[in-house]
Amino acid sequence: MASNSFGSLFRFTTWGESHGPSIGVVVDGCPSLIALCEEDIQPWLDKRRPGQSPYTTQRNEADRVKILSGVHEGKTTGTPISMLIENTDMRSSDYSEIKDKFRPGHADYTYMEKYGIRDYRGGGRSSARETACRVAAGAIARKVLGEKVIIRGAVIQVGPHVVDRTGWDWSEVNKNPLFIPNALAARFLEEYLNQIHNAGTSVGAVIEIIASGVPAGLGDPVYNKLDAELGNAMMSINAVKGVEIGDGFASASLTGDTYADEMRAGPDGTPVFISNHAGGVLGGISTGQNLVIRFAVKPTSSILQEKKTIDVEGNNTEISTKGRHDPCVGIRAVPVGEAMVACVLADLLLRQKSLKGNG
Amino acid sequence: MASNSFGSLFRFTTWGESHGPSIGVVVDGCPSLIALCEEDIQPWLDKRRPGQSPYTTQRNEADRVKILSGVHEGKTTGTPISMLIENTDMRSSDYSEIKDKFRPGHADYTYMEKYGIRDYRGGGRSSARETACRVAAGAIARKVLGEKVIIRGAVIQVGPHVVDRTGWDWSEVNKNPLFIPNALAARFLEEYLNQIHNAGTSVGAVIEIIASGVPAGLGDPVYNKLDAELGNAMMSINAVKGVEIGDGFASASLTGDTYADEMRAGPDGTPVFISNHAGGVLGGISTGQNLVIRFAVKPTSSILQEKKTIDVEGNNTEISTKGRHDPCVGIRAVPVGEAMVACVLADLLLRQKSLKGNG
Amino acid sequence: MASNSFGSLFRFTTWGESHGPSIGVVVDGCPSLIALCEEDIQPWLDKRRPGQSPYTTQRNEADRVKILSGVHEGKTTGTPISMLIENTDMRSSDYSEIKDKFRPGHADYTYMEKYGIRDYRGGGRSSARETACRVAAGAIARKVLGEKVIIRGAVIQVGPHVVDRTGWDWSEVNKNPLFIPNALAARFLEEYLNQIHNAGTSVGAVIEIIASGVPAGLGDPVYNKLDAELGNAMMSINAVKGVEIGDGFASASLTGDTYADEMRAGPDGTPVFISNHAGGVLGGISTGQNLVIRFAVKPTSSILQEKKTIDVEGNNTEISTKGRHDPCVGIRAVPVGEAMVACVLADLLLRQKSLKGNG
Amino acid sequence: MASNSFGSLFRFTTWGESHGPSIGVVVDGCPSLIALCEEDIQPWLDKRRPGQSPYTTQRNEADRVKILSGVHEGKTTGTPISMLIENTDMRSSDYSEIKDKFRPGHADYTYMEKYGIRDYRGGGRSSARETACRVAAGAIARKVLGEKVIIRGAVIQVGPHVVDRTGWDWSEVNKNPLFIPNALAARFLEEYLNQIHNAGTSVGAVIEIIASGVPAGLGDPVYNKLDAELGNAMMSINAVKGVEIGDGFASASLTGDTYADEMRAGPDGTPVFISNHAGGVLGGISTGQNLVIRFAVKPTSSILQEKKTIDVEGNNTEISTKGRHDPCVGIRAVPVGEAMVACVLADLLLRQKSLKGNG
């Protein structure tokens, strides 16, 4: 069934396989009269683009976005915005072996169970390449949210190594290829990833996204809780296996008196929260505090080390994946996670507008 | 906007406030010809029902479910199944103070920001009482799934105390009021919760749900991934702040060679997986292995200890919640989590059927 | 699959069978802070209520609506509004014969084909009784729209007799049991319906609904055109087999120069349209003119005259329906059509709000 | 809000403006393993293509469709099928005058009211060019339905001239440029349209679509009635102002004994209906008889004759549209109507599958 769209009022639909001629996304529901051009979108795609460091796949894609509709004389018109990205660096020969074998940890087996067919070239639709479309949609979502809402992400753990938060520096994040908010940790982790890569294996990571400037009142109280929408959005990113808001799993260990985010009257009438254990969400609705989201990415499934598997005929065999792959797929999840948070918030903002004003 | 429904093909809609005359749920999309009566639903409600131990709220509700439609001569007809549960034990006097103050950790402030009004009696719509409706819907979802799919949950952490998995015994779960799969741990944690309760505070918990017998092929590959649907479902439960599938956050620390769930040809043609780090989902689609879901519940926000807050006029004040409350709201989340997993799977099962067969 | 809900942001879900204990509707997405009580809803139900004249079914139902949730201290809270109507006058003996035979023109055969089971008592879910729920939802939709939007309907054709429009008088509509906007025509058609009834048969009707005060800009330009939403809504009413907007089918005979609704600058800046052939919709979006909708209702399928049919075993047989039935089911479609127009407009109004304002 | 998608399980999303670089459609939810190539789609586009006769707009577009995703080795994979059609014959100079004036009967004024901006070039998104995308989606829907379901349309009225049904000949429909099922009538109407064109005006039309081979059981009984889905689909086509199923508006004049479609046991166990006044739908669900749909298309709004209007500043002015336009836009609605019926049926077929089989 149809399952390639995300969002309700601000909704995008992605299409395209890793080794087809192109991939793309249609953003539907973007309000009119927002200034928009390709240069608003390209920088976010550049941030996600592979081939920029030894720590991401060596596939070399320009990832140039083209806007095909929905913009007139530099402004959105309220009609669907179609964006297209050409695939240019497809080396099909790299992928010939996987045609007949199921790679452990990949979607190969489950696609066959579901559809009875799969486009095995580069992982087809299950390739992380699809996330470029999310990043393009997220760039438009940021325009819908306006400049007061700032959404930033960073890698806070690589393998077992947790980045020290005391030295957190947002300005460092874009200075190192691992999106680490700490220069020293970045150097250490680059070295660590080199070792992982040389060992023919991969590691997982944890990413943290902070959204500031989010107005209070976004999210619905029961089944479209802001937490639930974020849980859905983050878990829809390839290889993500866990999500938490605010203190998340650590909340379980706390007592109610410690966890309570007490409130005081603020200088401008808006209340001030003394802490933010809840990560900016109470009862499924935003409080106006920073939104704090963390998600875990499993280690890249494509590794050089040989692993046991079966082939499409059901025979035992072994496989090692020789293609170009990220030693840590979690790194490129940073711009993707940011984009998905932006899309969730843009959608909820439009939904919240429908509540306001009188009939 | 409309946000009180869950699911697409198997969809339920809940309504009702904690202190209204009744609460209810309409289950729409249940296939026809399934044997169903109130006795199929009542046991699950009884499991969730408050007032059964000192560790859950002392509110005493019979929680008798009435089926008002959709069943004819003991079978579902394919039309909507409306179920109603009366509220009988509402002590409004318990809740008078909260009318004018925002309780920290509660939805009081955010409801006012969103709606400009709230039904403060017993938390109104944000009360955990709403989850009784989910449990009723979940009972029907189990009938849709059939007897091969078994969905069971247990509390695996209370406060900082993690239950020892080596002694895991499903048969213990329903023998102790805390749904602990280990008799010894249950006795220890009962004692611990008594202390927490006496200290006028509360504590969080972690719940694990295992679904076995799930057919391979459920879930969609991009935006309705099985992980994402579960992330959404679990995060929609009151007080849940984290969700993980399989190894979840621990995946980040693993290497790809360790994490890979290798496959071997099985005796009946179905492959056997040597491990299940992925928790039964690959590429968003079920593998046929056990589905493993964990979620974290924050400590109950209603506590006796006095906390700083503001009133609806924006003035600083203090509040302590004197009503009847669970020292650990996570405990009653076990049947609710099970029900939500059942509803997700029933929905995905119906969706998957639409793919099969020829035109 | 789930198919008992209508609308997106303003969405209602109905449930219940003709001969169950009760029927009901959950209205989800109603904005908060709207004054609402049962007395706002009851008059519309009274208008639809059967048993008030010889021209509608003699079933005698009080149709008293109870609000079970979503209203606090006389105002909506933004949470779902559950309404329940008890079934009191169910004479099951009337319906015993239809258990084993398919009534021509009824949903009996198609329900069996779809579901393999049907609740044959009083038509079960396919009974026009379900429309009481739509009327209750419509009453709330009118409150969302506010008093400037006036939605009124009238019967303009009964059998082959078209009501003369030159004598149109809205004040007459509620003075005769047929909702005819012309006293003389009403008397004539009452007599005609007596003859139809005495002949053991039934007739069809055409209903016209006019909505005035609709703001310009409602409806979407491609797939949720205002015309399309109305086409969907009207065709979802039992027995409706045709819908038209503005000149409708007569448009086919016109030339472009005649049909063009020319515009002139109006006194207050708003343009004035010289005619309204388009019925208040251009390009799927409301113009601010009167919205003009017409729909055709087929003759009541339950008639005394004996008709050829088959039984559930596939044998040839005959049937005549002896129960209490309307000689013209189209009459009671007037309040139902009004209600559905109100629900469509309320939904579109909320959707339109999401477009306005800046991010 | 997002409103450029149609369907639920079989869902397509269109994008693109008349004078942008291209238009396109993403078909999501097509089952896997269906043989599909561009040659399956192109003939339907050719049928709709403008510039083929003097009776449709003289815009000359090759309308070559390119499939960009979702097909692997000649078969659908279950992933989204993206199709793109380039715009090649855009003469922007033709449209310069309409930049500042609202054309009567067009969406110009309402787009401005809704969005505050419009892409005036060639009508932008409101251009009938969008319907090429529907035709492409419809071609895939036909493949989903299989060869037993045959969907054919014809023009049955042009202006006031109703085609004589006694000479109905499907084989004639594709032999004349007007899709008339009667050679004699076709010649007469070609002559009539020449006159209309020479008079600088336009005329409306009525189209009839027949779908045979539709299985019984499609459509839902209350809010997604097959009639309602078709009402929605037909009314979503540009310039359609009326829809009817079976006898439609003529039903109003009939008595219940005449209208009743009596049933007899058929030779193969399937019942035989003696008539088909209901047009293949009872209680919102298909009966297995021919599905009969008729819709009215208003006269083309773009005419040479000068008409009163206002400009974007609100001043009175006049306009005549000099561009290339169809004297009867209804003609090209035949392939579009067929495509929309195919899409509705494909969606309902997938939905119906979700009901079948056991858990």
Side-chain angles (χ1 to χ4, degrees):
Chain A
M1 59 165 277
S3 64
N4 293 277
S5 298
F6 186 88
S8 59
L9 298 193
F10 181 89
R11 180 168 60 197
F12 65 88
T13 302
T14 72
W15 56 268
E17 282 86 27
S18 174
H19 282 53
S22 49
I23 58 173
V25 55
V26 182
V27 174
D28 193 6
C30 180
S32 57
L33 296 170
I34 294 177
L36 185 74
C37 62
E38 288 162 358
E39 287 65 42
D40 290 317
I41 298 158
Q42 194 60 49
W44 304 105
L45 283 168
D46 291 345
K47 189 173 172 185
R48 192 211 72 98
R49 193 158 63 84
Q52 301 186 99
S53 82
Y55 314 110
T56 58
T57 171
Q58 292 310 294
R59 178 169 177 159
N60 194 345
E61 288 287 357
D63 275 357
R64 291 298 310 173
V65 68
K66 275 187 267 184
I67 295 177
L68 300 179
S69 66
V71 178
H72 182 56
E73 296 176 348
K75 286 187 180 151
T76 60
T77 60
T79 63
I81 302 166
S82 177
M83 294 181 282
L84 188 138
I85 301 166
E86 287 182 16
N87 290 329
T88 55
D89 185 18
M90 305 159 296
R91 303 183 204 161
S92 288
S93 56
D94 288 348
Y95 296 100
S96 53
E97 192 191 25
I98 65 172
K99 179 178 174 181
D100 297 321
K101 294 180 181 178
F102 299 128
R103 294 166 299 166
H106 273 282
D108 300 345
Y109 170 68
T110 52
Y111 266 59
M112 278 307 277
E113 282 296 301
K114 187 170 196 77
Y115 296 114
I117 184 176
R118 70 192 166 98
D119 184 347
Y120 48 80
R121 299 167 304 157
R125 181 78 181 143
S126 70
S127 164
R129 185 136 188 75
E130 187 269 345
T131 61
C133 297
R134 304 179 185 225
V135 170
I140 295 177
R142 288 180 195 261
K143 301 283 283 190
V144 172
L145 291 167
E147 296 190 356
K148 282 187 194 159
V149 179
I150 296 169
I151 300 165
R152 295 184 289 194
V155 170
I156 61 166
Q157 181 180 339
V158 179
H161 304 291
V162 178
V163 175
D164 180 8
R165 300 183 76 90
T166 56
W168 191 290
D169 182 352
W170 280 114
S171 72
E172 286 296 328
V173 168
N174 290 319
K175 290 184 190 156
N176 65 77
L178 305 186
F179 303 119
I180 305 282
N182 178 317
L184 205 66
R187 280 200 295 278
F188 170 78
L189 290 169
E190 286 193 54
E191 182 54 35
Y192 170 70
L193 277 186
N194 285 335
Q195 292 165 15
I196 288 289
H197 190 248
N198 292 339
T201 188
S202 63
V203 279
V206 177
I207 285 86
E208 182 167 311
I209 312 275
I210 307 283
S212 61
V214 177
L218 302 194
D220 286 302
V222 183
Y223 293 110
N224 297 92
K225 283 189 167 78
L226 176 48
D227 321 63
E229 299 269 312
L230 291 167
N232 178 32
M234 298 300 111
M235 285 285 209
S236 79
I237 300 172
N238 306 35
V240 172
K241 301 301 283 188
V243 186
E244 54 184 20
I245 307 295
D247 285 4
F249 276 88
S251 311
S253 303
L254 299 180
T255 54
D257 54 304
T258 308
Y259 189 91
D261 295 322
E262 293 178 298
M263 299 167 82
R264 294 280 85 179
D268 62 349
T270 313
V272 171
F273 290 85
I274 296 170
S275 57
N276 189 15
H277 293 284
V281 193
L282 284 177
I285 302 166
S286 63
T287 62
Q289 295 173 275
N290 274 0
L291 202 57
V292 181
I293 306 132
R294 238 167 281 111
F295 60 92
V297 183
K298 69 178 189 179
T300 315
S301 298
S302 301
I303 55 174
L304 268 171
Q305 293 185 24
E306 197 170 82
K307 285 287 163 186
K308 296 187 183 72
T309 191
I310 58 173
D311 62 21
V312 292
E313 307 291 339
N315 304 308
N316 286 337
T317 181
E318 277 76 37
I319 193 165
S320 78
T321 320
K322 297 183 190 69
R324 308 158 295 175
H325 296 290
D326 309 37
C328 179
V329 77
I331 292 165
R332 283 203 290 149
V334 173
V336 181
E338 289 175 1
M340 292 303 286
V341 170
C343 289
V344 165
L345 292 177
D347 194 21
L348 293 179
L349 185 72
L350 298 190
R351 275 145 73 168
Q352 180 63 1
K353 280 185 188 174
S354 75
L355 274 180
K356 297 289 183 175
N358 52 2
Chain B
M1 60 167 276
S3 63
N4 292 277
S5 298
F6 185 88
S8 59
L9 298 192
F10 180 88
R11 180 169 60 198
F12 66 87
T13 302
T14 71
W15 56 267
E17 282 85 26
S18 172
H19 282 54
S22 48
I23 59 174
V25 55
V26 183
V27 174
D28 193 7
C30 180
S32 57
L33 296 171
I34 294 177
L36 185 73
C37 61
E38 289 163 359
E39 286 65 43
D40 290 318
I41 299 159
Q42 194 61 48
W44 303 106
L45 282 168
D46 291 345
K47 190 173 172 186
R48 193 211 71 98
R49 192 158 64 83
Q52 302 185 99
S53 82
Y55 314 111
T56 57
T57 171
Q58 292 309 294
R59 178 169 176 159
N60 194 344
E61 287 287 357
D63 275 357
R64 291 297 311 172
V65 67
K66 275 186 268 185
I67 295 178
L68 299 179
S69 67
V71 177
H72 182 57
E73 296 176 350
K75 285 186 181 152
T76 59
T77 60
T79 63
I81 303 167
S82 176
M83 295 182 282
L84 188 139
I85 300 166
E86 287 182 18
N87 290 329
T88 54
D89 185 18
M90 305 160 294
R91 303 183 204 161
S92 288
S93 56
D94 289 347
Y95 296 99
S96 54
E97 193 192 24
I98 65 172
K99 179 179 176 181
D100 298 319
K101 294 180 180 177
F102 299 128
R103 293 167 299 166
H106 273 281
D108 300 344
Y109 170 67
T110 52
Y111 266 59
M112 278 307 277
E113 283 295 302
K114 187 169 195 78
Y115 296 115
I117 185 175
R118 69 191 167 99
D119 184 348
Y120 47 81
R121 299 168 302 157
R125 182 76 180 145
S126 69
S127 165
R129 185 136 186 75
E130 188 270 345
T131 61
C133 297
R134 304 178 184 225
V135 170
I140 295 177
R142 287 180 195 260
K143 301 283 282 191
V144 172
L145 292 167
E147 295 189 357
K148 283 187 194 158
V149 179
I150 295 170
I151 300 165
R152 295 184 289 194
V155 170
I156 60 167
Q157 181 180 341
V158 179
H161 303 292
V162 179
V163 174
D164 180 8
R165 298 183 77 91
T166 57
W168 190 291
D169 182 351
W170 279 114
S171 72
E172 285 297 328
V173 168
N174 290 319
K175 290 184 189 155
N176 65 77
L178 305 187
F179 302 120
I180 305 283
N182 178 317
L184 205 65
R187 278 200 295 280
F188 170 78
L189 289 169
E190 287 194 52
E191 182 54 34
Y192 171 70
L193 276 187
N194 284 334
Q195 290 164 18
I196 288 290
H197 189 248
N198 292 338
T201 189
S202 63
V203 77
V206 177
I207 285 85
E208 183 166 310
I209 312 274
I210 306 282
S212 61
V214 177
L218 302 194
D220 286 300
V222 183
Y223 294 110
N224 297 92
K225 284 189 167 78
L226 177 47
D227 321 62
E229 299 269 314
L230 291 168
N232 178 31
M234 298 300 112
M235 285 286 208
S236 79
I237 300 172
N238 305 36
V240 173
K241 301 301 284 187
V243 186
E244 55 183 21
I245 307 295
D247 284 5
F249 277 88
S251 312
S253 303
L254 299 180
T255 54
D257 55 301
T258 309
Y259 188 93
D261 296 321
E262 293 178 298
M263 299 167 82
R264 293 282 86 179
D268 62 349
T270 312
V272 171
F273 289 85
I274 297 170
S275 56
N276 189 14
H277 294 284
V281 193
L282 284 177
I285 301 165
S286 63
T287 61
Q289 295 173 275
N290 274 359
L291 201 58
V292 181
I293 306 132
R294 238 166 282 110
F295 59 93
V297 183
K298 70 178 188 181
T300 315
S301 298
S302 300
I303 54 174
L304 268 171
Q305 293 185 23
E306 197 169 81
K307 284 288 162 187
K308 294 188 185 71
T309 191
I310 58 171
D311 62 23
V312 292
E313 306 292 337
N315 304 307
N316 286 337
T317 181
E318 277 75 39
I319 193 165
S320 77
T321 319
K322 298 185 189 68
R324 307 159 294 175
H325 296 290
D326 309 36
C328 179
V329 76
I331 292 165
R332 283 202 290 148
V334 173
V336 180
E338 290 175 1
M340 291 304 287
V341 170
C343 290
V344 165
L345 291 177
D347 194 22
L348 293 178
L349 184 72
L350 300 189
R351 276 144 73 168
Q352 180 63 0
K353 280 185 188 174
S354 74
L355 274 180
K356 296 288 183 177
N358 52 1
Chain C
M1 59 166 278
S3 63
N4 293 277
S5 298
F6 186 88
S8 59
L9 298 192
F10 181 88
R11 180 168 60 197
F12 66 87
T13 302
T14 71
W15 55 268
E17 283 85 27
S18 173
H19 283 53
S22 48
I23 57 174
V25 54
V26 182
V27 174
D28 193 6
C30 180
S32 57
L33 296 171
I34 293 177
L36 185 73
C37 60
E38 288 162 359
E39 287 65 43
D40 290 318
I41 299 159
Q42 193 61 48
W44 303 106
L45 283 168
D46 291 344
K47 190 174 171 185
R48 193 210 72 97
R49 192 158 63 84
Q52 302 185 99
S53 82
Y55 314 111
T56 57
T57 171
Q58 292 310 295
R59 178 169 177 159
N60 193 345
E61 287 287 357
D63 275 358
R64 291 298 311 174
V65 67
K66 275 186 266 184
I67 296 178
L68 299 179
S69 66
V71 178
H72 181 57
E73 296 176 349
K75 285 187 182 151
T76 60
T77 60
T79 64
I81 302 166
S82 176
M83 294 181 282
L84 188 139
I85 301 167
E86 287 182 17
N87 289 330
T88 55
D89 186 18
M90 306 160 294
R91 303 184 203 159
S92 288
S93 55
D94 289 347
Y95 296 98
S96 54
E97 191 191 27
I98 65 173
K99 178 177 176 181
D100 297 320
K101 295 180 180 177
F102 298 128
R103 294 167 297 167
H106 273 281
D108 300 344
Y109 171 67
T110 52
Y111 266 59
M112 277 308 277
E113 282 296 301
K114 187 170 195 77
Y115 296 114
I117 184 175
R118 69 191 166 100
D119 184 347
Y120 47 80
R121 300 167 302 157
R125 183 75 182 146
S126 69
S127 164
R129 186 136 187 76
E130 188 270 344
T131 60
C133 297
R134 303 178 185 227
V135 170
I140 295 177
R142 288 180 195 261
K143 300 284 283 189
V144 172
L145 291 167
E147 296 189 356
K148 282 186 195 160
V149 179
I150 296 170
I151 300 165
R152 294 184 290 193
V155 170
I156 61 167
Q157 181 180 339
V158 179
H161 304 292
V162 179
V163 175
D164 181 6
R165 297 183 78 90
T166 56
W168 190 292
D169 182 351
W170 280 113
S171 72
E172 286 295 329
V173 169
N174 290 319
K175 290 185 189 155
N176 65 77
L178 306 186
F179 303 119
I180 306 283
N182 178 316
L184 205 64
R187 278 199 297 278
F188 170 78
L189 289 169
E190 287 193 51
E191 182 55 34
Y192 171 69
L193 277 187
N194 284 334
Q195 292 164 16
I196 288 291
H197 190 247
N198 292 340
T201 189
S202 62
V203 278
V206 177
I207 285 85
E208 182 167 312
I209 313 274
I210 307 282
S212 61
V214 177
L218 302 194
D220 286 301
V222 184
Y223 294 111
N224 297 93
K225 283 188 167 78
L226 176 48
D227 321 62
E229 299 269 313
L230 291 168
N232 179 31
M234 298 299 112
M235 285 284 208
S236 79
I237 300 172
N238 306 34
V240 172
K241 301 302 283 188
V243 186
E244 55 183 20
I245 307 295
D247 284 5
F249 276 88
S251 312
S253 303
L254 300 180
T255 53
D257 54 303
T258 308
Y259 188 91
D261 296 321
E262 293 177 297
M263 298 167 83
R264 293 282 86 179
D268 62 348
T270 312
V272 171
F273 290 84
I274 295 170
S275 57
N276 188 14
H277 294 283
V281 193
L282 284 176
I285 301 166
S286 63
T287 62
Q289 295 172 275
N290 273 0
L291 203 58
V292 181
I293 307 132
R294 237 166 283 109
F295 60 93
V297 183
K298 70 178 188 180
T300 316
S301 298
S302 301
I303 54 174
L304 268 170
Q305 293 185 25
E306 198 170 79
K307 285 287 162 187
K308 295 187 184 70
T309 192
I310 58 171
D311 63 21
V312 292
E313 307 292 338
N315 304 308
N316 285 337
T317 182
E318 278 75 36
I319 194 165
S320 77
T321 320
K322 297 185 190 67
R324 308 159 293 176
H325 296 289
D326 309 37
C328 178
V329 77
I331 293 165
R332 282 202 291 149
V334 173
V336 181
E338 290 175 359
M340 292 305 286
V341 170
C343 289
V344 165
L345 292 177
D347 194 21
L348 293 179
L349 185 73
L350 299 189
R351 276 145 72 170
Q352 181 62 2
K353 280 185 189 175
S354 75
L355 275 179
K356 296 289 182 175
N358 52 1
Chain D
M1 59 166 278
S3 63
N4 293 278
S5 298
F6 186 88
S8 59
L9 298 192
F10 181 87
R11 181 170 58 198
F12 66 87
T13 302
T14 72
W15 56 268
E17 281 86 27
S18 174
H19 282 53
S22 48
I23 58 173
V25 54
V26 182
V27 174
D28 193 7
C30 181
S32 57
L33 296 170
I34 294 176
L36 185 73
C37 62
E38 288 162 0
E39 287 65 42
D40 291 317
I41 299 159
Q42 194 61 47
W44 303 105
L45 282 169
D46 290 345
K47 189 173 172 187
R48 192 211 72 98
R49 192 159 63 85
Q52 301 186 99
S53 82
Y55 314 111
T56 57
T57 171
Q58 291 310 294
R59 179 170 176 157
N60 195 345
E61 289 286 359
D63 275 358
R64 292 297 311 172
V65 67
K66 275 186 267 184
I67 295 178
L68 299 179
S69 66
V71 178
H72 181 57
E73 297 176 349
K75 285 186 181 154
T76 59
T77 59
T79 64
I81 303 166
S82 177
M83 295 182 282
L84 188 138
I85 301 166
E86 287 183 17
N87 290 329
T88 54
D89 185 17
M90 306 160 294
R91 303 183 204 161
S92 286
S93 57
D94 289 348
Y95 296 100
S96 54
E97 193 192 25
I98 65 172
K99 180 178 174 181
D100 297 320
K101 294 180 182 178
F102 299 129
R103 294 167 298 167
H106 273 282
D108 300 345
Y109 170 68
T110 52
Y111 266 59
M112 277 307 277
E113 283 295 302
K114 187 170 195 77
Y115 297 114
I117 184 175
R118 69 192 167 97
D119 184 347
Y120 48 80
R121 299 167 303 157
R125 182 75 181 145
S126 68
S127 165
R129 186 137 187 74
E130 187 270 345
T131 61
C133 297
R134 303 178 185 227
V135 170
I140 295 177
R142 287 180 195 262
K143 301 283 282 190
V144 172
L145 291 167
E147 296 189 358
K148 282 186 194 159
V149 179
I150 297 170
I151 300 164
R152 295 183 291 194
V155 170
I156 61 165
Q157 181 180 340
V158 179
H161 304 292
V162 179
V163 175
D164 180 9
R165 300 183 76 89
T166 56
W168 191 291
D169 182 351
W170 280 113
S171 72
E172 286 296 328
V173 168
N174 291 319
K175 291 185 190 156
N176 65 77
L178 305 186
F179 303 120
I180 306 282
N182 178 317
L184 205 64
R187 279 199 295 279
F188 169 78
L189 289 169
E190 287 193 52
E191 183 53 36
Y192 171 69
L193 277 187
N194 285 335
Q195 291 165 15
I196 288 290
H197 190 247
N198 293 339
T201 188
S202 63
V203 77
V206 177
I207 285 86
E208 183 167 311
I209 313 274
I210 307 283
S212 61
V214 177
L218 302 194
D220 286 301
V222 183
Y223 294 109
N224 297 91
K225 283 189 166 79
L226 176 48
D227 321 62
E229 300 269 315
L230 292 168
N232 178 32
M234 298 300 112
M235 285 284 208
S236 80
I237 301 172
N238 306 34
V240 173
K241 301 302 283 186
V243 186
E244 53 183 21
I245 306 295
D247 285 3
F249 276 88
S251 312
S253 303
L254 300 179
T255 53
D257 54 303
T258 309
Y259 188 93
D261 295 322
E262 294 178 296
M263 300 168 81
R264 293 281 85 178
D268 62 350
T270 313
V272 172
F273 290 84
I274 297 170
S275 56
N276 189 13
H277 294 284
V281 192
L282 284 176
I285 301 166
S286 62
T287 61
Q289 295 172 275
N290 274 1
L291 202 57
V292 181
I293 306 132
R294 238 166 282 110
F295 60 92
V297 183
K298 70 176 188 181
T300 316
S301 298
S302 301
I303 54 174
L304 269 170
Q305 293 185 25
E306 197 170 80
K307 285 287 162 186
K308 295 188 185 71
T309 192
I310 59 172
D311 63 22
V312 293
E313 307 292 339
N315 303 307
N316 286 338
T317 181
E318 277 74 40
I319 193 165
S320 76
T321 320
K322 299 187 188 67
R324 309 158 292 176
H325 297 290
D326 309 37
C328 179
V329 77
I331 292 165
R332 283 202 289 148
V334 173
V336 181
E338 289 175 1
M340 292 304 287
V341 170
C343 289
V344 165
L345 291 177
D347 194 22
L348 293 179
L349 184 72
L350 299 190
R351 275 144 73 168
Q352 181 63 3
K353 280 184 187 174
S354 75
L355 274 180
K356 297 287 183 175
N358 52 1

